[in-house]
Amino acid sequence: MSFDQFLQYISSGITSGSIYALTALGFTLIYNSTDIINFAQGEFVMLGGLVAISMHEWGAPLPLAFLVAVALVGIVGVIFEQLAIRPLLSAGVLAQIIVTIGASLAIRTVAMLIWGRESLPLPPFSGDSPIVILGASILPQTLWVLGLTLVIVVALQLFYRRTLTGKAVRACSVNPTAARLMGISYSRVVLLSFGLSAAISAAGGVMITPVSFMSYSAGALIGLKGFAACILGGLGNPVGAVAGGLILGILEALTVGFLPFSGSSGYKDGVAFLILLVILFARPQGLFGRRTVEKV
Amino acid sequence: MLAISGLRAGYGRIEVLRGIDLAVADREIVTIIGANGAGKSTLLRAISGTVGNRSGAMDFAGNDLLRMSVEAIASAGVVQVPEGRQLFGPLSVEENLQLGSYTRRGRRGRPAGEKMKEVFALFPLLEERRAQQAGTLSGGEQQMLAIGRALMAEPRLLLLDEPSMGLAPLIVREIFRTLRRLNEAGLAMLLVEQDARIALSLAHRGLVMVRGQVMLEDSAEGLLGNPEVQAIYFGRHAGRGVSGTEGG
Ligand SMILES: Nc1ncnc2c1ncn2[C@@H]1O[C@H](COP(=O)(O)OP(=O)(O)OP(=O)(O)O)[C@@H](O)[C@H]1O
Ligand SMILES: [Mg+2]
């Protein structure tokens, strides 16, 4: 493999890795405020892509399609919490986790009825003539994905570190009862977490659609990889989630590059499962996880 | 200001409070003393609303506390410094204090920065540690922060659950001195303590709680001079302040 080929693989790894990172971040937000692992997380990614496709078909410019998709799916996240999660508050976390599996099937079915079974395209955000960097030709969409992911991650950190609402969310994830004693509404924090989580994952879905299309069934695999990224980075650690996503994406791309036989791209999806197994056996707290690490 | 009558509360099917009558007047400090498991913390939790099944009557300055959420009770000015401090450990001292003022958001409260200055004036140690994670403070500093965080909410009635727990006598005395100053400035308090002697030295009135009921109620001097109270609550805990020390 030549150096520019290597760069090519890295750049494609960063592209999908960013999406895993945003999905993993979505898992993290919900997990930190509720201890729920949301198995419908991938469906938010899928919905983001498909809503943007429809908006674009109806004539909305891409930036508008992007924003509408993110906002709409954010609202879906809020409704999801009200309909599926809130009623099971007293039944406990396990029941809530199980209901997310059911909800994921329901969302997928509705998506199939609306958008059909085909994989649908979305044009790249700014054309598809590659930019040559160090001999490797890189699609502009890669830069969009990387840049927007960076913006989202930084904005989220600023929200958690600088705003009173963000600090209230962190307080709730540390000690919900003490937070309530300070007048912070835990139920509103949970609602906010679901909305933000869905919106962030949807943003990932819109960004990846120009690269790999989107179909009603794509959410399951993306969700699983996002979950693997979480485990890799340490469940509950947002920095770990982002790093885990990028590492997973790059490892996948290099697997395709280095495996000598043709059709090795089919093995790419196995990387996430392999990582999941290895981490769970060898280092269950993840690469960056420590028991004392701050949640959120 | 606070008037409670026939309050019953518990956890699931277990009833802990079995009909409590209690009143706290403006500017008054009332202390609840009692052995382990008497239900003192449960009483404070019932007032704050963190214990689910409550019945009876509970009025705070015209607010029916039984019908209010935990958050609404805090916003109404009944603010608790819970047992074991319950700080937001990974957050900084300053962030813990800011969150104390959360209830006042969007209300006509004084600016958080101004209140924080007052808290720092009361507990100068906290100002030195303002950027430090709350979880890394010593026991005494943590208790000061827990009280400071509650003060940020501009309480009208402060509920204190064993502020002396696990602290060296010197620190306990310092904290109680500060509580007295706050009271002199007009703040009413309901103080739960196992260290009956220091609690009664601060309070105006005291209640002795046994197995979820009020067994005795008297002025602080009356209880301090009561031989029965002395035998049960001073004897057993007299050594606590000396041997059970840590931090400071
Ligand atoms: N979360 C809970 N669930 C079930 N039972 C509880 C719970 N908390 C306390 N109890 C029980 O309620 C009773 C009163 O407990 P509480 O904590 O109110 O006592 P306390 O007077 O504050 O004691 P201490 O001096 O040890 O703090 C005890 O029998 C205790 O076991
Ligand atoms: Mg107690």
Side-chain angles (χ1 to χ4, degrees), chain B residues 40-42 45 83 161-162 192 194:
Chain B
K40 307 181 297 293
S41 298
T42 304
R45 287 185 204 125
E83 191 171 25
D161 199 343
E162 303 211 28
V192 160
Q194 285 211 6

Side-chain angles (χ1 to χ4, degrees), chain B residues 10-12 14-17 32-45 51 83 161-162 165 192-194 209 212 237 240:
Chain B
Y11 307 93
I14 308 158
E15 192 175 65
V16 175
L17 302 182
I32 316 268
I33 55 184
N36 286 92
K40 307 181 297 293
S41 298
T42 304
L43 173 59
L44 294 195
R45 287 185 204 125
V51 173
E83 191 171 25
D161 199 343
E162 303 211 28
M165 191 159 57
V192 160
E193 261 300 339
Q194 285 211 6
M209 204 164 149
H237 300 291
R240 246 171 61 109

